[in-house]
Amino acid sequence: MTGQQIGVLIGVIAGGSWALAGSASLRGAPRVLAMIVSLVGSILLAVATARLPSNGEAGRFDGAIYGIAVTAEAIAIVVAVPVLRRLGRGDWLVPVIAMIVGLHFLGLWRATGDAVFVGLAAGLCAIGIMGVRVPASWRMLVVGFGCALVLWAAAAATILSS
């Protein structure tokens, strides 16, 4: 697998995970349907990842910048949990995590030079902001499926442009 294929596959899996998390906020038949859609969408995109060229030249990748971005992301999430709980805003945890994950894509943009990561950062941060503005009962559904759609759209765009 190429670096691009691995990156797209990671995005597809992350999108599927967000969608399944969003599905968990539903009950009964809608929950089952949402979970099926999440899994089928992820599987179709994962299979389509094989369409990406496997013999292209390697792109730019700065492992040090990537490492800093991922480390900062992990630290920010670990810090956000107790801080939000202490502030009585534990209900904002999922949207804040979406924003933190979104911001980490700016590091991936710097590490690769691929502008798709700027779009991912903006999209995930926008979903996170939307998530703190919707009623708590809708939060997981909106953030889960919103993040999934952003990640899946980026994966699909990469697959279709190759």
Side-chain angles (χ1 to χ4, degrees):
M1 280 191 120
T2 66
Q4 184 182 45
Q5 288 170 320
I6 292 168
V8 170
L9 195 54
I10 289 170
V12 168
I13 292 168
S17 299
W18 276 107
L20 288 172
S23 300
S25 68
L26 300 170
R27 300 287 172 253
R31 181 183 199 171
V32 173
L33 180 61
M35 292 177 94
I36 291 169
V37 168
S38 301
L39 292 171
V40 170
S42 293
I43 290 167
L44 290 173
L45 281 168
V47 170
T49 301
R51 289 186 40 165
L52 291 169
S54 59
N55 57 354
E57 75 179 51
R60 184 184 107 199
F61 182 76
D62 186 326
I65 292 175
Y66 174 75
I68 291 167
V70 172
T71 301
E73 172 190 32
I75 291 169
I77 291 171
V78 168
V79 169
V81 173
V83 168
L84 288 171
R85 287 191 177 141
R86 196 165 289 127
L87 294 172
R89 295 310 323 213
D91 60 318
W92 282 11
L93 189 56
V94 172
V96 168
I97 288 173
M99 288 184 263
I100 292 168
V101 171
L103 290 172
H104 115 283
F105 280 110
L106 294 176
L108 288 171
W109 164 61
R110 296 291 300 160
T112 65
D114 189 344
V116 73
F117 293 122
V118 176
L120 277 166
L124 292 177
C125 287
I127 294 297
I129 291 167
M130 187 184 315
V132 298
R133 302 194 47 89
V134 299
S137 61
W138 284 87
R139 201 159 283 146
M140 188 58 124
L141 183 68
V142 168
V143 174
F145 276 100
C147 288
L149 290 173
V150 168
L151 288 158
W152 287 341
T158 301
I159 292 165
L160 293 172
S161 70
S162 294

